[in-house]
């Protein structure tokens, strides 16, 4: 497995991997890898001939009140996991390679960036869209795998690649969950033992609400009941909403046509958990 930290070595490594029309799959990450990331590598591998993963803790996507320095890092552990997963290349640019002094271009995606995480984390999706566009262009990958766990991010990146005519296919990969339903996330390591025991309630409350709404129960009352369950379980919900799957527009009645999701963000102590599930 090759590890590249500058653009010249990345370009010659990806040119070699793509020789003879071989397709390159990309798995963008910020490191602190868990089984969910390794599932992205496996999915990218199924859809391409060689796989590159990037590890870059992107300062541009952290809001002013978020602690970039506290983001978990484990370079040696991550490289070992990627090698074992059969990754061919790891792209680990230092910040000054990704954003050289004087860098002045950012990508702003309207539409699916609005609301939810866009409100909770101002500037977050600008940072995600900018770094993903750069990763797509730097690697020339044909396919990029993203977890459904960050549903709004998946829609923002898909919209951005489509709007900018970047010749890459965004491959959605189902959320990987612990046995009790908790969605895998790098943030789970910050849960105390007591919080970890409570955490699966988020997925349970969402699953119950999705089943009720699919069965015809009124949307507002069902979501309010789910939020009340979360409060009782020690959560402080930021939002719990029914949305159009692609546009993230909030819905107060069930759609008859087109996919819907329930999306949620809720705090357990200092840890903010995100999840989403399809409805119907
Ligand atoms: O989901 C993440 O880990 C990040 O937002 C991503 C897509 C790697 C961009 O920095």
């Amino acid at each position: 497995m090759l590890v590249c930290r500058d653009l010249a070595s990345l370009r010659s490594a990806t040119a070699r991997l793509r020789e003879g029309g071989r397709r390159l799959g990309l798995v963008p990450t910020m490191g602190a890898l868990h089984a969910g990331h390794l599932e992205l590598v496996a999915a990218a591998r199924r859809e391409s001939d060689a796989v590159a993963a990037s590890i870059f803790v992107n300062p541009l996507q952290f809001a002013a009140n978020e602690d970039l320095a506290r983001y978990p890092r484990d370079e040696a552990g991550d490289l070992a996991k990627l090698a074992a997963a059969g990754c061919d290349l790891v792209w680990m640019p230092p910040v000054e390679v990704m954003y050289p002094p004087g860098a002045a271009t950012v990508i702003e995606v309207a539409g699916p960036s609005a609301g939810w995480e866009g409100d909770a984390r101002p500037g977050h999706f600008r940072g995600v869209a900018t770094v993903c566009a750069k990763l797509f262009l730097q690697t020339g990958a044909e396919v990029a795998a993203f977890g459904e766990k960050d549903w709004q991010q998946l829609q923002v990146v898909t919209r951005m690649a489509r709007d900018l005519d970047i010749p890459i296919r965004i491959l959605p990969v189902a959320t990987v969950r612990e046995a009790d339903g908790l969605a895998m996330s790098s943030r789970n390591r910050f849960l105390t033992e007591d919080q970890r025991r409570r955490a699966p309630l988020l997925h349970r409350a969402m699953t119950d609400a999705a089943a009720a709404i699919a069965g015809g129960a009124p949307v507002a009352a069902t979501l309010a009941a789910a939020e009340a369950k979360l409060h009782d379980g020690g959560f402080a919900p930021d939002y719990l909403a029914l949305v159009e799957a692609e546009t993230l527009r909030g819905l107060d009645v069930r759609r008859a046509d087109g996919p819907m999701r329930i999306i949620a963000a809720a705090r357990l102590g200092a840890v903010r958990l995100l999840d989403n599930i399809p409805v119907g």
Side-chain angles (χ1 to χ4, degrees):
M1 186 177 76
L2 284 161
V3 179
C4 298
R5 297 176 197 266
D6 65 84
L7 275 170
S9 62
L10 176 73
R11 290 206 169 112
S12 65
T14 52
R16 270 200 310 281
L17 290 174
R18 299 175 70 216
E19 253 165 29
R22 282 160 50 89
R23 289 162 312 151
L24 181 64
L26 172 68
V27 178
T29 84
M30 298 210 299
L33 303 182
H34 50 68
H37 294 109
L38 303 180
E39 190 49 46
L40 298 181
V41 174
R45 154 91 40 223
R46 285 192 292 274
E47 301 281 327
S48 41
D49 303 300
V51 177
S54 60
I55 300 179
F56 179 66
V57 182
N58 177 27
L60 216 60
Q61 70 187 73
F62 285 75
N65 61 335
E66 293 173 337
D67 195 355
L68 171 65
R70 208 173 150 249
Y71 198 84
R73 292 166 206 249
D74 175 16
E75 181 176 322
D78 289 346
L79 290 176
K81 286 176 192 162
L82 290 172
C87 210
D88 299 283
L89 165 68
V90 185
W91 171 221
M92 298 186 70
V95 174
E96 59 281 9
V97 169
M98 187 59 86
Y99 302 118
T105 304
V106 292
I107 295 178
E108 194 78 58
V109 182
S113 290
W116 321 119
E117 290 309 287
D119 286 346
R121 307 178 68 188
H124 173 67
F125 288 126
R126 180 188 312 131
V128 170
T130 303
V131 81
C132 287
K134 293 192 68 144
L135 292 168
F136 297 168
L137 297 170
Q138 288 164 345
T139 59
E142 276 79 15
V143 176
F146 284 83
E148 289 186 348
K149 150 91 176 27
D150 293 303
W151 184 261
Q152 193 172 6
Q153 166 172 283
L154 172 63
Q155 303 313 315
V156 168
V157 170
T158 303
R159 185 77 257 166
M160 178 275 291
R162 197 180 294 159
D163 289 351
L164 296 182
D165 303 318
I166 301 179
I168 194 163
R169 181 160 61 88
I170 306 301
L171 176 67
V173 179
T175 303
V176 179
R177 298 184 181 280
E178 305 286 356
D180 57 14
L182 176 65
M184 288 200 187
S185 163
S186 310
R187 297 176 189 180
N188 294 352
R189 69 188 67 199
F190 296 121
L191 294 169
T192 63
E193 239 174 74
D194 175 56
Q195 290 165 347
R196 176 63 191 83
R197 262 196 308 276
R198 293 167 181 265
L201 176 64
L202 179 60
H203 181 240
R204 262 202 320 278
M206 295 172 73
T207 310
D208 292 349
I213 290 171
V219 172
T222 304
L223 295 177
E227 276 209 34
K229 250 192 241 170
L230 290 176
H231 277 291
D232 290 348
F235 280 86
D238 274 358
Y239 58 79
L240 177 74
L242 178 71
V243 298
E244 277 181 358
E246 195 175 321
T247 63
L248 275 294
R249 269 196 289 268
L251 295 169
D252 44 25
V253 288
R254 189 164 63 103
R255 277 182 68 156
D257 57 327
M260 299 172 287
R261 307 231 24 134
I262 289 185
I263 58 169
R267 286 173 200 280
L268 254 185
V271 185
R272 192 160 175 275
L273 298 177
L274 293 188
D275 206 343
N276 70 90
I277 53 168
V279 176

